[in-house]
Amino acid sequence: MSEELQQKLRSQLWTVANTLRGNMSASDFMYFTLGFIFYKYLSEKIELYANEELKEDGITFKEAWESDDEELKVDLKEACVQDLGYFVEPEYLYSTIISMIDRRENILPALERSLKKIEDSTIGQESEDDFGGLFSDIDLASPKLGKTADDKNKLISDVLVALNGIDFGLKDAQEIDILGDAYEYMIGQFAAGAGKKAGEFYTPHEVSLLMSEIVANHLKDRDKIEIYDPTSGSGSLLINIGKSASKYIEGENKVKYYAQELKQNTYNLTRMNLIMRGIEADNIVTRNGDTLEDDWPYFDENDPSNTYNPLYVDAVVSNPPYSQAWNSADKETDPRYAGHGLAPKGKADYAFLLHDLYHIKPDGIMTIVLPHGVLFRGGEEGEIRKNLIEKNKIDTIIGLPANIFYGTGIPTIIMVLKQKRTNTDVLIIDASKGFVKEGKNNKLRASDIKRIVDVVTGRESIEKFSRVVSRDEIRTNDYNLNIPRYVDSSEAAESWDIYASMFGGIPNLELDKLKEYWKAFPTLRSDLFENTSAAHCRLKIEDVKKAIKEHTDVKNFESKFQGAFGNFDDYLYDELIAKMEHINISKTEEILSENIFERMADIPLVDR
């Protein structure tokens, strides 16, 4: 049911955005659409909350606000700000604006006031940083909305009415999460049409999920965690870590989110996306600022010397702008870079990496997306790379497929670093071949993500995919970490047996390549083929398909497989149906996955 609701909500929201924007570009219209969805969410959420609070009084939120009971109003407002982080009077709710549209009134002044009222309600509260200037991207006077005031009013009214016809399902916690997923889907859809601008605000969901799974596995034994994204974009990286971590952490609101973003409109996306997940206000700490120029404000600006309190978190995740210029002047004494070196002025990649590394706790982890050049470029970057290896900070390097990010076709990597490691090697993975093509872009599949995460957590060396490389070997390569030096993922050269092509027969060397099958079916090869020479053989039977299907080894294999899953229907019923009221989706996915792998542990040929 949740999958059906999710698809329906995604479709409805995207239809509204796509059909009503007219000639406006997707990236321009994004901030209007996402802002109005968020406004509707806040309005419906506070109305539900207030009506529940007033249930014993036998009145509704609107009735209470029309009454003369000032004490009731003050108490209700304080409760809303305390529990929700904001407050908005009934006259400024989404439903009130809709009633004005029904009366064919000009809604733009009232809508502008309503959005401002939400922001103003948080002034002086813990949630002020989360809500201040949140709707600043919604310029209702923008000429992009239409030539005349009537044109603008009609377009905005049409969008609000269309969104009003969509049930957000906020009465159910699981459906709130579905709305959050639909919101992220919308951001992804806008990113697909935004070209190069997309990189400013969006990390593809699959890449985000991959990084999140790696981080969550590292943090799985902790009761509470703090995570930080210094280039937060839409906030999807932070949100996905929270979801992945929920497999291991019991209870609600055990994750604290820190986010910093340079661009105001993107910063607003971060905050909206986090708030829409139902995260408590005091677990969201956000800042609009330049990460490299102005590190996290870990002191009171009125008394910096006595309130110095560096921000150290359990995990830092980031997808910073690639190889951008930065000001490295006077940064030699900056504690973030001390002992490692300064990134060159023309490429800030290692500046972002060292910033992230500085902010993780001794037992923390960081993952960062970077261009391949950081693995082999020389000069200042080569020196930083050498220092990171000698100080034993680099844990894993994952080469991703090309054309996986919106706005750039260059291949990228994910680098995993830790402050303290017991091993001194580096796991290098070439995951560039695992993807499916979707439109103009390549996309990681769930199986690709699972394979990478399993190799990272198991620290495995797999032919043509991954290798654990010693520090000594990296030293002999002059600290060059270019993936093909260590993992050869190229396809084997194709060869032809000229003799067999001319005179017939099947080369035994070709059959030898199927050795895993002959191991699984021990007598099948000898029952199908007979040698005509030391190098060649021929088929002994005419109907190959029938012979294989009726062969004892194959039947035994099928029987063993069916036996392993004999009670699987009952198991699924117990896990999914019997427990459906209390199910944790992420945790249950992990439980089902492990159960399937256990059932197949003794069955050959099956690729995990």
Side-chain angles (χ1 to χ4, degrees):
M1 177 61 79
S2 62
E3 179 71 21
E4 188 179 322
L5 285 171
Q6 185 182 65
Q7 292 300 331
K8 180 181 177 183
L9 191 54
R10 284 179 173 185
S11 175
Q12 288 175 317
L13 290 175
W14 183 241
T15 298
V16 170
N18 212 31
T19 57
L20 293 178
R21 66 184 171 92
N23 296 323
M24 196 184 301
S25 71
S27 57
D28 284 332
F29 199 55
M30 174 175 71
Y31 297 105
F32 289 99
T33 311
L34 295 177
F36 294 147
I37 292 171
F38 186 63
Y39 170 44
K40 182 174 188 282
Y41 162 80
L42 292 178
S43 292
E44 291 185 2
K45 186 177 180 182
I46 201 165
E47 206 162 1
L48 281 169
Y49 176 88
N51 286 336
E52 185 63 30
E53 287 285 299
L54 295 165
K55 187 183 287 184
E56 289 185 7
D57 297 294
I59 56 174
T60 66
F61 181 27
K62 290 183 179 180
E63 288 168 346
W65 221 251
E66 290 168 357
S67 74
D68 297 325
D69 192 338
E70 296 303 322
E71 186 179 347
L72 177 67
K73 294 178 188 178
V74 170
D75 290 345
L76 182 59
K77 183 174 182 178
E78 287 179 355
C80 288
V81 173
Q82 176 70 33
D83 292 346
L84 303 181
Y86 68 98
F87 182 77
V88 56
E89 290 92 340
E91 65 181 291
Y92 303 113
L93 292 173
Y94 192 98
S95 56
T96 305
I97 300 295
I98 292 296
S99 66
M100 292 177 64
I101 295 172
D102 292 341
R103 296 193 297 270
R104 301 182 181 279
E105 296 179 30
N106 181 357
I107 63 162
L108 298 185
L111 179 57
E112 193 165 358
R113 281 195 303 273
S114 298
L115 301 181
K116 187 76 168 61
K117 280 284 184 181
I118 294 173
E119 294 177 4
D120 290 348
S121 72
T122 66
I123 293 174
Q125 306 296 330
E126 277 190 18
S127 56
E128 182 176 355
D129 288 342
D130 298 334
F131 283 85
L134 196 56
F135 296 102
S136 59
D137 300 311
I138 300 180
D139 179 8
L140 298 177
S142 170
K144 293 175 182 177
L145 294 172
K147 292 181 180 179
T148 67
D150 285 344
D151 292 338
K152 296 180 179 70
N153 186 65
K154 183 179 187 311
L155 176 59
I156 296 302
S157 297
D158 287 347
V159 173
L160 295 180
V161 168
L163 289 175
N164 192 55
I166 300 173
D167 181 9
F168 282 5
L170 301 189
K171 294 177 182 177
D172 183 282
Q174 190 169 314
E175 289 186 17
I176 291 175
D177 201 43
I178 288 171
L179 175 61
D181 288 338
Y183 197 74
E184 186 180 336
Y185 167 80
M186 290 279 287
I187 296 171
Q189 290 295 97
F190 279 121
K196 289 186 177 181
K197 287 185 180 179
E200 297 175 1
F201 63 82
Y202 189 66
T203 300
H205 177 74
E206 293 73 27
V207 177
S208 174
L209 188 59
L210 169 59
M211 296 169 76
S212 302
E213 288 292 311
I214 292 169
V215 169
N217 186 272
H218 180 79
L219 303 177
K220 63 184 176 184
D221 298 322
R222 309 188 192 192
D223 296 328
K224 294 180 74 174
I225 61 172
E226 294 182 316
I227 55 181
Y228 168 40
D229 186 344
T231 55
S232 59
S234 68
S236 64
L237 269 173
L238 289 174
I239 288 164
N240 280 309
I241 289 180
K243 289 178 69 175
S244 294
S246 69
K247 290 186 287 195
Y248 310 109
I249 299 176
E250 297 292 338
E252 299 293 320
N253 285 292
K254 297 294 184 71
V255 182
K256 187 157 189 170
Y257 301 84
Y258 293 87
Q260 181 157 311
E261 173 55 44
L262 175 62
K263 300 201 170 185
Q264 176 70 44
N265 51 12
T266 313
Y267 170 62
N268 291 342
L269 276 186
T270 290
R271 294 185 292 167
M272 288 182 189
N273 211 358
L274 287 168
I275 292 167
M276 281 191 69
R277 301 294 172 146
I279 302 165
E280 290 179 353
D282 58 358
N283 274 344
I284 300 175
V285 185
T286 60
R287 181 172 182 250
N288 182 204
D290 188 325
T291 288
L292 299 183
E293 286 301 312
D294 193 7
D295 195 7
W296 189 270
Y298 36 65
F299 51 78
D300 183 339
E301 293 180 0
N302 298 316
D303 185 16
S305 59
N306 292 319
T307 57
Y308 185 82
N309 182 27
L311 174 72
Y312 298 123
V313 296
D314 299 288
V316 179
V317 289
S318 64
N319 177 20
Y322 306 144
S323 302
Q324 75 166 22
W326 77 300
N327 180 14
S328 59
D330 303 322
K331 297 287 197 308
E332 295 85 356
T333 57
D334 191 312
R336 295 175 291 176
Y337 313 120
H340 291 97
L342 287 179
K345 289 188 291 184
K347 292 182 172 64
D349 301 313
Y350 272 111
F352 282 110
L353 183 150
L354 292 174
H355 168 91
D356 294 5
L357 183 64
Y358 174 76
H359 283 288
I360 59 174
K361 295 175 182 176
D363 58 353
I365 185 173
M366 63 160 282
T367 60
I368 184 171
V369 181
L370 294 168
H372 267 260
V374 300
L375 300 178
F376 52 79
R377 291 192 299 242
E380 298 103 317
E381 291 184 307
E383 190 62 27
I384 294 172
R385 194 165 58 245
K386 175 182 176 180
N387 288 328
L388 287 169
I389 292 165
E390 289 299 338
K391 291 173 186 286
N392 202 27
K393 305 297 185 184
I394 300 177
D395 185 81
T396 302
I397 294 165
I398 303 165
L400 297 174
N403 209 33
I404 203 164
F405 288 88
Y406 295 116
T408 178
I410 65 168
T412 51
I413 63 162
I414 293 173
M415 201 181 287
V416 182
L417 296 93
K418 298 174 183 176
Q419 282 288 14
K420 293 196 182 232
R421 302 196 308 140
T422 53
N423 51 309
T424 59
D425 48 40
V426 177
L427 173 63
I428 298 179
I429 300 172
D430 186 346
S432 61
K433 305 289 195 298
F435 62 88
V436 64
K437 192 158 189 65
E438 275 197 6
K440 297 178 182 177
N441 286 79
N442 298 326
K443 179 181 175 181
L444 293 172
R445 297 162 294 189
S447 58
D448 300 319
I449 296 169
K450 178 70 175 166
R451 185 184 191 197
I452 296 168
V453 172
D454 284 350
V455 168
V456 171
T457 53
R459 212 159 181 80
E460 300 174 81
S461 291
I462 297 175
E463 188 179 0
K464 293 192 173 295
F465 186 71
S466 65
R467 190 154 80 85
V468 177
V469 182
S470 70
R471 183 156 59 184
D472 285 339
E473 183 177 350
I474 294 171
R475 285 170 178 153
T476 62
N477 280 313
D478 198 24
Y479 302 97
N480 186 318
L481 292 173
N482 200 19
I483 293 171
R485 280 179 178 253
Y486 306 98
V487 180
D488 178 12
S489 63
S490 60
E491 298 294 331
E494 196 169 352
S495 61
W496 290 268
D497 187 308
I498 304 299
Y499 181 90
S501 299
M502 293 175 66
F503 303 107
I506 302 168
N508 281 325
L509 284 175
E510 290 190 11
L511 291 183
D512 291 343
K513 292 176 183 176
L514 301 173
K515 61 184 179 182
E516 294 301 321
Y517 289 88
W518 310 134
K519 201 184 297 181
F521 311 124
T523 63
L524 181 60
R525 181 171 180 173
S526 59
D527 288 347
L528 293 178
F529 306 97
E530 63 181 2
N531 286 337
T532 56
S533 69
H536 298 88
C537 64
R538 68 177 183 84
L539 277 166
K540 292 165 62 174
I541 43 85
E542 290 185 9
D543 192 336
V544 178
K545 184 175 180 180
K546 181 181 179 185
I548 291 174
K549 287 191 71 69
E550 294 180 355
H551 197 277
T552 304
D553 288 350
V554 175
K555 286 186 173 181
N556 288 341
F557 178 88
E558 289 175 340
S559 177
K560 187 175 182 181
F561 184 90
Q562 288 164 359
F565 287 89
N567 67 339
F568 195 54
D569 286 358
D570 292 337
Y571 171 76
L572 287 179
Y573 184 91
D574 291 340
E575 288 295 326
L576 300 177
I577 307 302
K579 301 175 183 177
M580 67 187 300
E581 291 185 7
H582 310 288
I583 202 165
N584 177 315
I585 293 173
S586 296
K587 188 176 290 186
T588 303
E589 282 181 350
E590 191 72 10
I591 291 169
L592 295 181
S593 172
E594 288 307 311
N595 181 272
I596 291 169
F597 286 151
E598 285 173 15
R599 291 170 185 268
M600 297 191 301
D602 298 325
I603 299 174
L605 302 180
V606 178
D607 187 334
R608 280 174 64 96

